[in-house]
Amino acid sequence: MTGALEKPKLQASGAVNPRRIREERIRRRGFAVASASTAAVVLALWILIPMAPGWSKVQASFFDWEVFAKTFPKLLSAFLVDIMIFAWSAPLIAVSGLAMALCRDVRSPALFPLKLFAIGYNDVFRGVPVMLVIYLFGFGIPGLGLPRPWNSPYIWGTLALVCTYAAYVAEIIRTGIESIHESQRSAAMSLGLTPSDIMRFVILPQAIRRVIPANMNILIALQKDVALLSVIGPVEILRQAGVEKSLAANFTPYVGASIIFLAVTIPATRYADRLIERQNRQRS
Amino acid sequence: MQTHEKLKLVGLRKSFGEHEVCRGIDLTVAEGSMVCLIGASGSGKSTLLRCINLLEPIDSGQILLDGFDIADPEIDPLPLRRRIGMVFQSYNLFPHMTAIENVMLAPRRVHRRSRAELRDEITAMFERFGLKSHIGHYPDQLSGGQQQRVAIIRALAMKPEIMLFDEVTSALDPEMVGEVLDVVRQLKSQRMTMVLATHEMSFAREAADWVCFLDKGVIAEAGPPAQIFGNPKEARTREFLSRIL
Amino acid sequence: MSLVRVIAMAASAIALSVFSASAGEVCAAKTVKDGVLTPATGDPAYFPWVADNNPSAGKGFEAAVVYEVAARIGYPHDKVEWAVATFDEGIQPGPKNFDFSVAQYSITEERKKTIDFSDSYYTAATAVLVRKPTVEAGLKPDLAALKKLQWGVAAGTTAGGILAKTVGPDKDPMMFNDTADVVQALKSGQIDATMLDLPTALYESAVEMDDGVVLGQFPTDNSEGLDQFGMVLEKGNPLVACVDKALQSMKADGTLAKIEAEWLSSATGVPVIK
């Protein structure tokens, strides 16, 4: 037994290790198989799609270089509207999501109505499609007869996004809070910290750190959903693409808009994946 | 010996749902003495300590601290809990804070003392327990024994009148048990009032002033260690000791 | 003289017989569903284009035109089955689930690259719809005043382009999904004015709004302010020839004008914007 255990150890220190060579060979073979199959699939798509009967029509109306070059700069500048809405929505969502999570976590009986409110709030805003909330807020509230600028679609559209996304963020933060082991609370309580100090200094810092990756995914979703505000007036990228599309009767502007979205979401998604991976590694 | 009854439990009962964990416990802890609770897992030792620290509300009975009933549900447990320190089996350090931040948090927030003011005092405590070089480390950079010593310092920094130890060596590798028990010995030499739930029988025998054997939620037998370990009266005490020694 | 008259009479008789022969003759082009004509319109379809959102009743300008065209290419009332098509379905490339779509599609050169249009069946003046309080605050139908307004239009329509060319507002216009949303924004004061074809503007101001006012229309000699509506067909659909022939005959014999007079309010009394 001892001999069998020692043998690879001895060889590992040497220059030639048959096991390592074998592993290397397997890894290389795996890489080759992956590249070959990917190439085969891409090639098949490359050949098969243009063989479809409607390809030339689709190509003309979705991939028209001239239309692309003409509309892309306009799409880019319309995207600034999306970025703007995102930039002021995200912090508001973070704050209100946290507030809702805390409301939901209250343990004092006196504050029970707050907890009830938080539960109802979450049920409503996670249950209604964000598009409907935008419509209801964006047309309904200004319809009450608010004077300008208080009937701006930017205000009520943002509120719709914030209300909806805060419900999701609250839920994520709450699971984060619940994932912190009860013993942390016990230890903090035994030191005589007040419940609010326990939450602020012991539970939340750990909980928030744990849910950062999940919230990154929420941010990515938000970044896309900002475009939904277009239905209540703002001319952001999706609307601009729609306008260009109907002017040109050509769908290439949508392809352009997709490219702009991807340019933002792909790096963001990769970053979120890396955060999750790092966290998993730390926990194991 | 003229002693002050620092802590006294009278008829303490506690149940979780249908399951009664403490079934009428009476115990007196003299000031400056060290009481060890022994008994099988599930005999109610940990629950008893958590009740004394007011982490669990009790069903009936009294917990008298200097003769004052702290289990009265009408009174605010916070200031009372601060007079009692507790150390847990799984250390329960706050993982997002360095060792010294772990220790400073409660004095800063509860006693409103500044970091600068606390720094020297806490550094001295780290030095006393052989942890000076680890003061800025995060819990996951410390061994189990080191973490448990930091946890003890964290409790001591609140200047408690009583320290409760809940199987503080049970999660440790054997070579680290000694360094933690040394700290407890040091505290005993400073006449800290302490209640320990422990499985370290030789330590209880050597260091305790009073040993209580818990069985099925009651104190089955109590006495000085020489009597409990040398000449137990109860059959179940003898049975427990024969299984464990 | 009499010979000339005879020849003329004969010629008109031949012409008449040709006309009556072509009317009611089944068009050679195939339809998406055999033996049936499948026109499409939006859901909802709006008055005065389609009455009660029910095109099958043949009431409303576009519905009436479609049934007339259908009859002239050989599909009587019971051989017409309506489909629903969104704006995008109308202008996207590829096969359609309808023979032609009518929903006030403006004929533009760019759209012609992807789809085919029939001849125009209506030429609409572009009108400006506002609310009474705006007019009471002193708004006059002149371009200088219109520039200062907050505009809103339905995206996807040609209104946005016409607005930019004719008015060129100071503030960026807001855009909405459809006319209903634009009118809602107008009602709640998020926008001051919108641009619609005149019949729709008249309808919205009279029926959908409490205080709607058609402020004015753009002069009809200004081609920028004109919208020609055509039926939309899949690119290369041979049916377009039949439809065009039917429309031409409807124009020639005054049927189209009669339908127009029946359904589309007269534009009299709407001031012209200077």
Side-chain angles (χ1 to χ4, degrees):
Chain A
M1 214 47 225
T2 336
L5 274 172
E6 272 169 8
K7 211 174 162 192
K9 217 176 186 177
L10 278 170
Q11 280 176 342
S13 57
V16 184
N17 177 345
R19 186 182 173 79
R20 192 168 297 168
I21 289 171
R22 210 163 52 237
E23 278 172 357
E24 178 67 16
R25 200 186 303 142
I26 289 169
R27 204 169 60 230
R28 262 191 228 147
R29 197 193 302 149
F31 181 73
V33 168
S35 325
S37 66
T38 307
V41 169
V42 169
L43 194 71
L45 291 176
W46 193 262
I47 293 169
L48 287 178
I49 290 178
M51 277 167 68
W55 168 243
S56 60
K57 283 187 199 166
V58 168
Q59 192 182 24
S61 55
F62 283 86
F63 304 100
D64 183 322
W65 175 248
E66 220 173 282
V67 173
F68 183 85
K70 209 172 88 185
T71 57
F72 197 74
K74 289 190 210 160
L75 294 178
L76 265 183
S77 65
F79 192 59
L80 289 179
V81 176
D82 295 77
I83 292 175
M84 211 167 64
I85 297 170
F86 177 85
W88 68 55
S89 298
L92 288 173
I93 288 166
V95 171
S96 36
L98 180 60
M100 276 298 152
L102 293 179
C103 285
R104 188 112 196 227
D105 194 66
V106 293
R107 295 176 179 209
S108 146
L111 297 176
F112 187 72
L114 211 58
K115 186 175 186 141
L116 213 59
F117 166 73
I119 291 172
Y121 175 93
N122 263 296
D123 285 352
V124 169
F125 282 101
R126 288 198 307 151
V128 180
V130 60
M131 187 67 156
L132 281 182
V133 180
I134 291 172
Y135 251 107
L136 293 175
F137 279 35
F139 283 129
I141 297 176
L144 298 174
L146 296 170
R148 231 173 269 168
W150 298 108
N151 61 11
S152 159
Y154 288 97
I155 295 177
W156 302 109
T158 301
L159 186 73
L161 283 179
V162 169
C163 283
T164 305
Y165 271 83
Y168 287 99
V169 169
E171 212 42 34
I172 290 175
I173 294 179
R174 194 171 70 97
T175 46
I177 289 172
E178 280 171 5
S179 78
I180 304 303
H181 200 270
E182 196 55 34
S183 63
Q184 287 283 312
R185 217 183 267 263
S186 288
M189 268 162 71
S190 80
L191 289 168
L193 290 167
T194 61
S196 62
D197 273 357
I198 293 174
M199 185 50 83
R200 182 173 152 203
F201 293 101
V202 178
I203 307 294
L204 269 188
Q206 298 184 57
I208 301 271
R209 223 164 290 193
R210 248 176 231 194
V211 298
I212 282 175
N215 278 321
M216 275 297 292
N217 286 330
I218 285 284
L219 282 184
I220 292 165
L222 171 68
Q223 195 265 325
K224 290 181 292 178
D225 277 359
V226 161
L228 296 179
L229 287 205
S230 61
V231 299
I232 55 168
V235 182
E236 50 65 66
I237 185 167
L238 188 62
R239 177 62 83 206
Q240 188 69 45
V243 168
E244 301 295 337
K245 169 218 67 182
S246 49
L247 283 182
N250 188 295
F251 289 74
T252 308
Y254 283 154
V255 176
S258 305
I259 290 173
I260 293 173
F261 273 111
L262 288 177
V264 174
T265 48
I266 289 182
T269 315
R270 283 294 97 77
Y271 181 64
D273 287 350
R274 254 199 23 224
L275 283 182
I276 293 170
E277 206 176 293
R278 201 166 65 197
Q279 208 168 61
N280 286 344
R281 239 184 349 223
Q282 271 170 3
R283 218 173 288 174
S284 61
Chain B
M1 190 161 71
Q2 182 69 27
T3 51
H4 167 60
E5 289 182 351
K6 187 70 193 170
L7 177 73
K8 186 171 183 174
L9 310 181
V10 183
L12 188 149
R13 284 177 178 273
K14 168 72 188 173
S15 48
F16 294 105
E18 294 291 293
H19 180 54
E20 193 166 38
V21 185
C22 297
R23 300 189 299 164
I25 288 181
D26 299 290
L27 173 68
T28 303
V29 181
E31 183 156 39
S33 75
M34 173 171 154
V35 172
C36 281
L37 309 174
I38 61 170
S41 302
S43 58
K45 306 187 296 288
S46 287
T47 304
L48 185 60
L49 292 180
R50 290 177 66 85
C51 288
I52 296 172
N53 202 194
L54 305 179
L55 294 175
E56 304 283 356
I58 63 171
D59 299 337
S60 65
Q62 288 179 309
I63 302 172
L64 301 168
L65 182 64
D66 290 332
F68 178 76
D69 185 8
I70 62 172
D72 185 343
E74 293 296 312
I75 55 172
D76 180 13
L78 271 178
L80 298 166
R81 206 183 270 144
R82 288 165 191 162
R83 295 167 62 188
I84 305 172
M86 182 155 178
V87 185
F88 300 84
Q89 178 177 346
S90 50
Y91 338 131
N92 300 359
L93 291 182
F94 308 133
H96 58 297
M97 296 180 186
T98 61
I100 190 164
E101 283 168 345
N102 259 278
V103 177
M104 275 192 202
L105 177 66
R108 271 177 51 222
R109 299 301 304 170
V110 176
H111 296 149
R112 298 281 159 195
R113 298 173 68 192
S114 71
R115 284 169 195 272
E117 186 190 337
L118 285 163
R119 184 163 292 276
D120 289 345
E121 184 183 319
I122 291 174
T123 309
M125 290 171 89
F126 273 83
E127 197 161 7
R128 181 143 52 95
F129 296 124
L131 288 166
K132 189 158 187 251
S133 55
H134 298 94
I135 208 158
H137 287 188
Y138 282 92
D140 61 3
Q141 297 168 312
L142 299 173
S143 72
Q146 289 165 338
Q147 288 191 55
Q148 195 58 293
R149 283 183 284 157
V150 173
I152 295 172
I153 296 173
R154 182 172 70 176
L156 288 173
M158 289 298 286
K159 305 201 187 327
E161 297 161 35
I162 300 178
M163 283 285 281
L164 310 174
F165 294 84
D166 184 9
E167 300 191 19
V168 292
T169 56
S170 299
L172 295 177
D173 291 336
E175 71 269 23
M176 291 173 187
V177 170
E179 63 189 59
V180 172
L181 292 181
D182 280 345
V183 171
V184 179
R185 278 193 197 93
Q186 240 191 83
L187 293 178
K188 182 176 158 65
S189 72
Q190 291 158 12
R191 297 199 40 78
M192 169 65 80
T193 311
M194 293 186 280
V195 182
L196 283 83
T198 186
H199 288 303
E200 295 292 326
M201 294 304 152
S202 55
F203 177 75
R205 185 175 204 161
E206 157 222 324
D209 296 306
W210 194 256
V211 176
C212 302
F213 169 61
L214 267 79
D215 185 46
K216 298 191 178 75
V218 292
I219 295 179
E221 185 170 359
Q227 180 204 316
I228 297 291
F229 292 104
N231 185 21
K233 293 195 186 85
E234 296 283 329
R236 36 188 178 163
T237 315
R238 278 198 296 274
E239 197 217 344
F240 170 73
L241 289 174
S242 69
R243 256 191 292 128
I244 204 159
L245 292 175
Chain C
M1 276 300 146
S2 66
L3 185 66
V4 174
R5 194 180 290 162
V6 167
I7 293 170
M9 276 175 69
S12 61
I14 291 164
L16 264 176
S17 71
V18 166
F19 259 117
S20 51
S22 75
E25 195 176 87
V26 177
C27 178
K30 272 187 68 153
T31 53
V32 288
K33 192 175 165 195
D34 256 349
V36 174
L37 185 71
T38 312
T41 188
D43 186 14
Y46 295 100
F47 194 84
W49 310 105
V50 172
D52 308 323
N53 192 25
N54 177 21
S56 315
K59 296 201 187 314
F61 177 71
E62 283 179 342
V65 167
V66 166
Y67 277 109
E68 186 61 33
V69 168
R72 287 178 191 232
I73 62 177
Y75 297 93
H77 201 289
D78 60 333
K79 294 286 179 203
V80 175
E81 287 178 9
W82 287 84
V84 169
T86 61
F87 180 85
D88 278 4
E89 281 167 350
I91 65 162
Q92 75 198 10
K96 313 275 187 204
N97 61 353
F98 52 78
D99 293 314
F100 55 77
S101 180
V102 276
Q104 306 111 63
Y105 283 100
S106 303
I107 302 172
T108 69
E109 286 308 312
E110 273 147 327
R111 287 178 180 170
K112 279 185 190 165
K113 287 180 196 160
T114 322
I115 47 176
D116 279 349
F117 282 102
S118 71
D119 284 352
S120 155
Y121 58 87
Y122 181 70
T123 301
T126 303
V128 175
L129 180 63
V130 296
R131 285 169 66 225
K132 214 171 266 164
T134 321
V135 179
E136 281 161 2
L139 179 69
K140 293 275 181 302
D142 63 64
L143 287 174
L146 294 182
K147 260 186 195 303
K148 296 195 183 73
L149 300 179
Q150 173 64 59
W151 287 81
V153 290
T157 68
T158 46
I162 296 175
L163 177 66
K165 282 180 199 151
T166 53
V167 179
D170 296 337
K171 278 174 273 185
D172 285 341
M174 292 189 203
M175 299 228 179
F176 300 88
N177 276 0
D178 55 28
T179 306
D181 286 359
V182 178
V183 170
Q184 178 58 40
L186 186 62
K187 282 187 202 168
S188 55
Q190 290 171 290
I191 58 173
D192 299 314
T194 186
M195 207 168 244
L196 297 165
D197 61 77
L198 187 56
T200 304
L202 287 169
Y203 168 75
E204 294 290 347
S205 71
V207 181
E208 296 294 335
M209 296 178 71
D210 297 329
D211 55 358
V213 175
V214 178
L215 183 71
Q217 59 178 319
F218 286 91
T220 41
D221 55 353
N222 174 2
S223 65
E224 299 286 17
L226 282 183
D227 248 355
Q228 296 209 306
F229 295 165
M231 298 178 182
V232 165
L233 296 91
E234 184 186 343
K235 187 109 190 122
N237 187 342
L239 192 64
V240 75
C242 303
V243 172
D244 281 351
K245 215 164 108 190
L247 284 172
Q248 280 156 19
S249 73
M250 283 162 67
K251 282 176 192 166
D253 63 14
T255 315
L256 191 60
K258 224 177 80 196
I259 298 174
E260 194 179 312
E262 185 181 355
W263 293 108
L264 301 183
S265 327
S266 74
T268 49
V270 176
V272 171
I273 292 165
K274 290 185 262 302

